[in-house]
């Protein structure tokens, strides 16, 4: 398994080695020892979730206040355009974004440290995204930023086919940014 550092501070991409033969392929999608070598505690991830989205669906941009939450994200079926925005005021990459494609061909796991906003758009007819999260969900700490915020100018690759009412009513980045920085 190869591990790459992401463009945002603390983000890691775990890229498994695939073994092909006449039956198909085998790959280890996660290895606790390798995660530990890169500073992660595999036992800290206490909750697994999965979503299924159809082509063009956007689920974005979500995060947690307080101490945030770390997550491991992978696409088990299909492909997604994955987006991260650094919402940690003390981070050297605060306000910057990173995109990557997660798919069922490369099996990469994306480590998202606490304090980042996360979202994605389905690039295939069906995309199953699996999350391993390090804390229980507390709706009172939810943070959401509009997927089409002009200050972030995220380049979503496809027209939007579906998006939740919650995501449509999310706050603009400037408002969330001010709150995170403690400004009026």
């Amino acid at each position: 398994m190869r591990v790459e550092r992401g463009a945002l501070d603390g983000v890691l991409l775990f890229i498994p080695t695939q073994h092909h033969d006449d039956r198909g392929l085998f790959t280890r999608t996660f290895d606790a020892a390798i995660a530990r070598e890169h500073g992660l505690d595999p036992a800290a991830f206490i909750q697994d979730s999965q979503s299924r989205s159809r082509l063009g669906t956007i689920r974005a941009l979500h995060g947690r206040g307080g101490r945030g939450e770390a997550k491991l994200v992978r696409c088990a079926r299909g492909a997604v355009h994955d987006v991260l925005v650094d919402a940690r005021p003390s981070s050297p990459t605060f306000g910057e974004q990173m995109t990557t494609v997660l798919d069922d061909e490369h099996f990469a796991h994306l480590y998202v440290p606490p304090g980042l906003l996360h979202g994605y758009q389905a690039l295939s007819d069906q995309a199953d995204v699996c999350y391993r999260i390090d804390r229980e969900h507390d709706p009172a700490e939810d943070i959401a930023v509009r997927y089409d915020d002009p200050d972030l100018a995220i380049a979503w690759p496809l027209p939007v086919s579906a998006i939740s009412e919650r995501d449509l009513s999310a706050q603009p980045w400037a408002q969330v940014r001010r709150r995170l920085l403690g400004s009026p």
Side-chain angles (χ1 to χ4, degrees):
M1 182 172 293
R2 191 173 83 245
V3 181
E4 295 179 359
R5 297 212 174 276
L8 300 179
D9 187 44
V11 174
L12 299 171
L13 194 62
F14 293 87
I15 304 166
T17 302
Q18 298 179 30
H19 304 279
H20 296 266
D21 65 20
D22 60 344
R23 299 169 294 169
L25 71 87
F26 172 84
T27 190
R28 179 176 297 130
T29 60
F30 182 75
D31 188 310
I34 292 172
R36 273 192 291 280
E37 287 173 17
H38 289 85
L40 303 184
D41 175 9
F45 294 93
I46 62 167
Q47 191 177 86
D48 282 2
S49 301
Q50 181 169 336
S51 67
R52 178 168 290 160
S53 302
R54 59 184 167 85
L55 181 68
T57 296
I58 289 181
R59 296 180 186 256
L61 293 159
H62 307 146
R64 298 280 178 269
R67 64 180 177 93
E69 71 180 7
K71 50 181 132 172
L72 287 167
V73 181
R74 73 182 180 95
C75 185
R77 177 183 188 183
V80 297
H81 176 79
D82 201 275
V83 178
L84 300 175
V85 176
D86 193 339
R88 302 168 295 179
S90 62
S91 170
T93 55
F94 177 68
E96 295 179 23
Q97 61 183 271
M98 173 185 151
T99 63
T100 191
V101 172
L102 300 176
D103 61 31
D104 63 3
E105 291 184 31
H106 297 98
F107 306 102
H109 256 100
L110 181 65
Y111 171 69
V112 181
L116 272 67
L117 300 173
H118 176 251
Y120 60 87
Q121 183 175 40
L123 299 176
S124 53
D125 289 338
Q126 285 193 346
D128 284 10
V129 175
C130 301
Y131 311 80
R132 182 166 277 177
I133 303 167
D134 75 341
R135 60 185 283 217
E136 292 180 10
H137 180 240
D138 180 354
E141 293 185 340
D142 284 354
I143 296 173
V145 172
R146 280 201 53 103
Y147 77 99
D148 59 352
D149 184 273
D151 291 334
L152 293 175
I154 294 169
W156 299 102
L158 300 174
V160 179
S161 65
I163 191 163
S164 72
E165 286 298 320
R166 173 186 173 220
D167 289 348
L168 286 173
S169 63
Q171 298 177 329
W173 170 242
Q175 186 175 346
V176 172
R177 185 178 188 280
R178 280 193 303 275
R179 189 173 74 233
L180 292 169
L181 292 170
S183 303

